[in-house]
Amino acid sequence: GAVVSQHPSRVICKSGTSVKIECRSLDFQATTMFWYRQFPKQSLMLMATSNEGSKATYEQGVEKDKFLINHASLTLSTLTVTSAHPEDSSFYICSALGLAVGEEQFFGPGTRLTVL
Amino acid sequence: AQSVAQPEDQVNVAEGNPLTVKCTYSVSGNPYLFWYVQYPNRGLQFLLKYITGDNLVKGSYGFEAEFNKSQTSFHLKKPSALVSDSALYFCAVRDQGKLVFGAGTILRVKS
């Protein structure tokens, strides 16, 4: 199946700093990428949808100025958590959808963010 | 809006016994339904999907799911559970291009 990678897998940062998480589709072109957030023992919450070359669409309640999403190419999307605070600590998962790989989303392995 | 419900927080089953993880859906029109599995600190792995066609869908790792329109259900099943099947399972439905997930069900298979 299609492979999606995320980098870094874990990051610890100080409060007030910004953190960038990369999501790459390794063997297919992702026309659409999704960013999710998952709290311990909870379901995935969709944060935003990004299409290559256009602005991301954020879900209600997600601050677009805090969670900056860039989908500059068909294989790369980035999520930047700006001025991170402890409450931003979470597991962030991306997924990618490509026309060549059918109807399913392929998920990255996730990034564990801990803000001290 | 489309939604799915997973009525069980946790399912316990003995190794070798059949397992069922329940999912019901609420959609308008034809549903696109999915099952994913998540191991600790990992992303989601696709198991199977129902788009159209046969109501019994076979997927990865010996899992299958039955689409039941009259009961609006899409339960995940496996004839013989393995300890390694222990994980968190999510049912999902596609809604306007986005996946909407259920709350998840923890499956524990004991030897």
Side-chain angles (χ1 to χ4, degrees), chain B residues 19 47-48 58-64 76-78 85 89:
Chain B
L19 70 87
L47 284 178
L48 50 81
K58 293 189 181 295
S60 306
Y61 313 118
F63 284 94
E64 59 188 29
L76 181 70
K77 299 182 179 184
K78 187 173 182 179
D85 292 329
Y89 289 81

Side-chain angles (χ1 to χ4, degrees), chain B residues 65-104:
Chain B
E66 185 171 10
F67 173 70
N68 188 316
K69 190 172 183 177
S70 63
Q71 297 184 6
T72 62
S73 67
F74 189 57
H75 300 333
L76 181 70
K77 299 182 179 184
K78 187 173 182 179
S80 179
L82 300 172
V83 173
S84 57
D85 292 329
S86 299
L88 180 58
Y89 289 81
F90 290 103
C91 180
V93 63
R94 177 171 294 155
D95 183 8
Q96 298 181 335
K98 298 180 290 187
L99 284 178
V100 177
F101 288 89

